Amino acid sequence: MRFVIKNNVLIPGSNTDGNSLPISDIPSIPQPPQNPNFPYNNDLQLLLTGKQLLLEDIPIAFQEVQSHYENGYITYRKGIHYEGKKPVCTRCGNKDPHHFASYPCSRCGETCLYCRRCIMMGRISECTPLIGWNGPVPDTILPSKIKQWQGTLSEGQQVASDHVTTAIQQNQEHLVWAVCGAGKTEVLFAGIEAALAAKKRICIATPRTDVVLELTPRLKAAFPEIKVASLYGGSEDRHLYAPLTIATTHQLLRFYHAFDAIILDEVDAFPYTVEESLQYAAVQARKPNSAMIYLTATPNQKWQRECWTGKRAFTTIPARFHRHPLPVPKFEWCGNWQKQLQKSKLPPNVLRWITARIQSNKQALVFFPHIPLMEKALPILRQLDPTIESVHAEDPNRKEKVQQMRSKGIPLLLTTTILERGVTFPNIDVAVVGAEDAIFTESALVQIAGRAGRSKDHPDGVVTYFHYGKTEEMVKARKQIVLMNREGIKRGLLDDKK
Amino acid sequence: MDFSMQNRCLNCYEFILPNIGWRAIFSVEKEQLICQTCEGKLERIEGEQCRICSRPFQNIDEKFRRGDLCHDCFRWEEDPEWHGYLERNYSLFLYNDFLKEIIAKFKFRGDYVLAKIFSEFLKKRLTEITPDIFVPIPLSKERLYERGFNQASAILLEAGYQPNHLLSRIHSEKQSKKSRSERIHLPQVFQFLPDIQLAGKKVVLVDDIYTTGSTLRHAAKLLKEAGAASVQSLTLAR
Ligand SMILES: [Zn+2]
Ligand SMILES: [Zn+2]
Ligand SMILES: [Zn+2]
Ligand SMILES: [Zn+2]
């Protein structure tokens, strides 16, 4: 859109008016003072509080939006701003020229630069205003009892829960480093309750939609009288104002100075560059004075270092809920397995490992670094058992296969890293073939090892990394697991093995 | 724009490996915009196809075919009101899941730059058709504002052709839900903006997708009646 400034107020201008400019070209955007007598629209208030939306996200006529701005109840910000000569996307923080392009724009009549990186949330270009709320915050009415959940926490969980609560109350940052199977969700409940009781707005953000879908009913059950907004691409709660929000990290891009506390789940799940932009989104979405809780099973090296040198407040939950130690991965050299596969063979020790599982009826997950190699291994292994399956990210039958594995219909599932996190099977062994591949980072390997020994009836499981040259990442992964077990013993969180 | 831009796939952002070999040495390599994986997912329309709309005959039931025409075109052509207006439609690629995704990103998400992916293919076909005038299927004013650009104009512009905006919409775009007979009997969807001499001119209509052919036939009829010598059409997908 084009605007002109009249009496220190931004007024929409036509494409033919030579005095008007696309919003990004206006040096500074005036903010009219709040008119206390203006009858503001409550729907607009609920929709916009703590948000940064595009006009097309707002199902209300532009004239009404504009009059809220003129009366000081709405803010306009530039969708794209410039740092010197460099464009920056205000919503996602993109500065990388690869992620910008331009087009002849019929809205402003100019060649308009747009951001490609956050385009799935609606296109932001040089003539796009980001619209936010500047009026009073909607009031929330609290139920007499906020939290209904009455489960018990393990010792390790309890310590973390207390630290999370304090951090939320005091607007601090805190990292919860909880091993796979520690039960991290329950650790949040006390802190969430404290925030809600103080009428704070709180958000749990996680990279994956599956996790949003899984967490939503659990939180609704724990806080039955609290309104919960569950946000992911295409979700119906998009416009719902709620004290408790569960969202994919992408959805944070629609928020601006919204939350008194953000809980950021699985911070380890992203490659560094993606992590950077999500950090930007999280910083935008939280209020300047707010709490930030990070959850992870495997913090990256930088964060680990910060933890051990006292630069980052953190709590570990080094033991699983069932009080048994984490299975420690074994390393086994398997020679040039890729070359073997080209000749339609598997290294003998890999084949032995798999055969032993099939013969003793123990289910197993076998990870491969790449789809083509996995597909080469499948027919070889099907000679042992024709019901062996393989699965990868784009497999249309992915869900069914995981379900079949759960119901023990599949003895052995070959997989790429898509099953490295989230999915749990109660009683399995785990192998990685080609653990030296760059795709198997420390964090991926720890997550993979974390698939074994999950249930209290079967707390043991074998984890083997087959490799053609031991890597730094493998060593770090094993070290991290050993370290957690040692700490579990030290803090008395593990039962003695008889 | 930026030299480093050429090294990443416009669609998936993967690095594009440079083409090294005798071809690269002896010819000026054209700018590579998408990676081989993405290009491999585009399916060219080849083999035996409908004489008018280029619907491939492979994998379609005999009963949907009438000689060298598909059933749809046959029905259009047997109707004296529509006979002979659209001479020929060319479509570049099959509208498979991959292309659906690209066109959705391009048109609905508004990722304009994706138009460039098709430029080379479009140029090649347009050099064969040799039209005098290039007419994009128009959007309504509201839709154009909403999207920020017209996808058909974008395809032309990015391939280096100047679109002629000879048509404008009288009715809204929301016709995909209408039945065939409603579409046919709909009064003209477009109106002709008479600022150009069409007499004797060879016109090509451009759009992103060929679905029912009704949009293109409405436009073709209007242009023929305004004096065009012939009207053909070109779409990215069908
Ligand atoms: Zn613009
Ligand atoms: Zn952006
Ligand atoms: Zn690509
Ligand atoms: Zn046909």
Side-chain angles (χ1 to χ4, degrees):
Chain A
M1 283 185 79
R2 298 179 77 98
F3 290 96
V4 284
I5 298 180
K6 263 191 200 140
N7 306 324
N8 213 26
V9 172
L10 221 53
I11 307 280
S14 81
N15 288 7
T16 47
D17 178 355
N19 292 322
S20 71
L21 289 169
I23 189 160
S24 292
D25 291 347
I26 292 172
S28 137
I29 296 174
Q31 181 61 40
Q34 226 178 75
N35 166 10
N37 300 318
F38 179 71
Y40 65 84
N41 178 333
N42 290 90
D43 291 340
L44 210 49
Q45 176 197 33
L46 289 172
L47 175 66
L48 282 178
T49 302
K51 294 277 189 62
Q52 46 180 1
L53 299 185
L54 310 182
L55 262 176
E56 45 270 47
D57 296 328
I58 303 173
I60 286 171
F62 173 71
Q63 284 73 9
E64 196 174 346
V65 173
Q66 173 69 15
S67 74
H68 277 75
Y69 160 74
E70 288 172 16
N71 285 281
Y73 285 74
I74 270 181
T75 56
Y76 290 158
R77 287 157 62 232
K78 302 173 184 184
I80 288 184
H81 63 272
Y82 282 83
E83 283 176 6
K85 282 194 169 147
K86 276 194 171 162
V88 183
C89 173
T90 309
R91 182 169 63 186
C92 76
N94 172 34
K95 291 180 190 178
D96 179 352
H98 289 119
H99 291 277
F100 286 109
S102 50
Y103 70 109
C105 173
S106 58
R107 291 198 190 177
C108 65
E110 311 221 3
T111 301
C112 210
L113 191 79
Y114 71 97
C115 175
R116 297 189 71 205
R117 197 167 72 178
C118 63
I119 198 162
M120 64 287 179
M121 313 291 286
R123 183 184 52 216
I124 291 211
S125 73
E126 285 173 302
C127 66
T128 311
L130 272 177
I131 296 161
W133 185 248
N134 197 41
V137 172
D139 193 25
T140 41
I141 298 140
L142 287 175
S144 54
K145 192 159 191 246
I146 295 173
K147 188 180 75 177
Q148 289 295 341
W149 186 79
Q150 290 183 330
T152 44
L153 297 177
S154 72
E155 261 173 83
Q157 283 175 311
Q158 188 61 54
V159 174
S161 172
D162 294 345
H163 289 164
V164 167
T165 308
T166 312
I168 288 179
Q169 283 168 333
Q170 301 182 357
N171 290 332
Q172 292 162 342
E173 292 205 353
H174 199 85
L175 169 69
V176 177
W177 180 352
V179 297
C180 301
K184 57 186 177 177
T185 309
E186 297 84 353
V187 162
L188 306 172
F189 290 165
I192 293 174
E193 184 183 27
L196 293 171
K199 294 203 173 185
K200 287 180 170 180
R201 197 175 181 189
I202 186 163
C203 174
I204 305 176
T206 173
R208 291 177 300 133
T209 302
D210 316 5
V211 181
V212 174
L213 294 174
E214 185 216 309
L215 283 178
T216 302
R218 287 174 73 187
L219 280 140
K220 280 184 173 166
F223 303 96
E225 288 177 64
I226 298 291
K227 204 183 271 176
V228 177
S230 185
L231 304 180
Y232 46 90
S235 86
E236 284 168 15
D237 293 354
R238 216 169 106 151
H239 293 329
L240 184 71
Y241 179 83
L244 179 55
T245 299
I246 307 167
T248 57
T249 26
H250 270 125
Q251 297 295 320
L252 289 180
L253 290 173
R254 289 214 174 89
F255 289 90
Y256 186 67
H257 292 182
F259 301 110
D260 300 283
I262 294 182
I263 297 161
L264 204 52
D265 183 31
E266 293 196 321
V267 271
D268 57 288
F270 308 100
Y272 179 71
T273 45
V274 182
E275 187 204 307
E276 215 180 7
S277 73
L278 290 171
Q279 289 281 359
Y280 179 91
V283 169
Q284 293 262 301
R286 65 190 284 202
K287 288 182 182 167
N289 190 18
S290 58
M292 190 80 173
I293 309 295
Y294 298 101
L295 294 182
T296 176
T298 60
N300 62 30
Q301 282 294 310
K302 181 168 161 272
W303 284 40
Q304 287 186 36
R305 218 175 310 120
E306 287 171 9
C307 286
W308 303 129
T309 54
K311 286 183 190 134
R312 183 175 283 283
F314 76 109
T315 310
T316 56
I317 312 179
R320 290 178 160 174
F321 195 78
H322 60 43
R323 300 182 63 87
H324 292 268
L326 303 162
V328 177
K330 296 186 186 74
F331 297 171
E332 269 200 51
W333 189 83
C334 66
N336 191 346
W337 60 279
Q338 303 206 25
K339 207 168 151 193
Q340 295 266 327
L341 268 179
Q342 297 308 343
K343 292 188 249 163
S344 291
K345 278 188 198 153
L346 271 167
N349 53 351
V350 174
L351 207 57
R352 261 199 312 277
W353 191 96
I354 292 173
T355 313
R357 301 306 170 294
I358 301 273
Q359 280 169 355
S360 61
N361 268 328
K362 173 97 183 210
Q363 276 188 299
L365 279 179
V366 181
F367 288 82
F368 283 83
H370 308 290
I371 300 172
L373 292 162
M374 176 173 83
E375 300 290 313
K376 272 225 160 261
L378 185 64
I380 307 172
L381 292 171
R382 277 192 172 160
Q383 290 169 6
L384 297 173
D385 186 324
T387 58
I388 292 176
E389 285 289 350
S390 72
V391 69
H392 57 86
E394 283 165 50
D395 190 333
N397 300 320
R398 182 174 149 186
K399 275 205 174 111
E400 288 79 1
K401 286 177 182 171
V402 168
Q403 199 44 52
Q404 263 179 292
M405 180 76 184
R406 246 190 219 122
S407 59
K408 303 211 159 70
I410 297 176
L412 194 99
L413 187 57
L414 312 185
T415 177
T416 56
T417 53
I418 50 142
L419 293 188
E420 85 180 32
R421 53 181 75 229
V423 190
T424 50
F425 306 104
N427 183 21
I428 55 165
D429 287 343
V430 177
V432 177
V433 178
E436 75 282 358
D437 194 281
I439 201 166
F440 294 119
T441 58
E442 174 189 7
S443 135
L445 289 167
V446 170
Q447 289 282 2
I448 286 169
R451 299 306 102 208
R454 289 297 280 264
S455 88
K456 76 173 190 320
D457 300 326
H458 307 281
D460 303 313
V462 172
V463 178
T464 309
Y465 300 159
F466 290 100
H467 63 90
Y468 183 40
K470 191 168 67 181
T471 63
E472 194 71 3
E473 298 294 307
M474 290 165 60
V475 175
K476 282 190 216 153
R478 184 162 68 185
K479 220 163 123 189
Q480 199 186 125
I481 291 167
V482 169
L483 191 90
M484 284 290 136
N485 281 340
R486 206 175 293 154
E487 201 188 325
I489 295 170
K490 206 170 76 192
R491 283 170 51 188
L493 302 174
L494 294 176
D495 291 332
D496 284 337
K497 263 203 170 169
K498 284 127 270 180
Chain B
M1 164 177 138
D2 182 354
F3 176 72
S4 55
M5 188 91 187
Q6 294 166 19
N7 302 329
R8 280 191 184 256
C9 173
L10 264 188
N11 181 52
C12 70
Y13 289 111
E14 278 301 313
F15 283 105
I16 298 174
L17 299 173
N19 237 333
I20 305 168
W22 64 269
R23 255 182 69 209
I25 299 166
F26 290 106
S27 68
V28 183
E29 268 299 302
K30 63 169 196 277
E31 197 182 10
Q32 268 190 303
L33 296 170
I34 55 171
C35 70
Q36 285 185 346
T37 318
C38 287
E39 190 167 335
K41 291 182 191 166
L42 290 171
E43 290 177 80
R44 303 296 292 262
I45 294 180
E46 284 160 344
E48 218 193 338
Q49 44 196 263
C50 170
R51 172 170 55 85
I52 294 183
C53 73
S54 71
R55 177 174 179 178
F57 283 146
Q58 211 184 351
N59 305 329
I60 73 162
D61 201 294
E62 268 305 312
K63 71 170 181 267
F64 293 115
R65 188 176 162 173
R66 300 288 188 92
D68 59 358
L69 289 183
C70 73
H71 184 68
D72 276 356
C73 288
F74 179 82
R75 282 184 60 192
W76 282 107
E77 292 305 312
E78 74 179 350
D79 185 341
E81 229 189 283
W82 290 101
H83 174 79
Y85 287 122
L86 183 65
E87 187 179 293
R88 178 87 159 88
N89 170 71
Y90 299 90
S91 297
L92 298 175
F93 303 102
L94 287 179
Y95 196 37
N96 60 12
D97 287 346
F98 177 71
L99 190 52
K100 258 181 207 154
E101 202 183 296
I102 292 205
I103 290 183
K105 270 203 269 185
F106 165 55
K107 180 161 83 166
F108 299 123
R109 299 252 185 252
D111 202 353
Y112 181 92
V113 73
L114 293 176
K116 287 186 200 284
I117 292 176
F118 307 104
S119 298
E120 284 303 319
F121 303 100
L122 208 78
K123 268 191 225 167
K124 192 155 173 272
R125 195 26 77 80
L126 283 174
T127 353
E128 290 160 18
I129 304 176
T130 59
D132 304 312
I133 295 175
F134 308 85
V135 181
I137 293 296
L139 296 176
S140 66
K141 254 173 80 185
E142 300 74 37
R143 189 55 63 82
L144 181 61
Y145 185 86
E146 201 180 290
R147 295 217 181 126
F149 62 84
N150 172 325
Q151 70 270 15
S153 305
I155 299 165
L156 276 170
L157 273 173
E158 292 308 310
Y161 299 92
Q162 197 51 48
N164 269 297
H165 301 282
L166 293 189
L167 303 171
S168 75
R169 251 179 216 271
I170 335 178
H171 298 278
S172 79
E173 286 86 350
K174 293 185 181 105
Q175 59 141 317
S176 48
K177 286 193 184 73
K178 293 196 178 82
S179 74
R180 182 173 185 275
S181 109
E182 279 176 299
R183 279 194 310 268
I184 293 178
H185 298 111
L186 202 70
Q188 196 33 276
V189 194
F190 303 112
Q191 114 192 22
F192 181 64
L193 307 171
D195 58 351
I196 225 174
Q197 270 307 321
L198 266 188
K201 293 279 166 60
K202 201 171 165 185
V203 177
V204 69
L205 286 163
V206 176
D207 207 355
D208 53 345
I209 310 164
Y210 183 102
T211 27
T212 63
S214 122
T215 309
L216 290 166
R217 281 187 161 91
H218 272 96
K221 186 173 186 181
L222 197 64
L223 293 168
K224 281 281 276 200
E225 284 168 357
S230 73
V231 181
Q232 299 186 314
S233 61
L234 176 58
T235 72
L236 299 183
R238 81 141 296 152

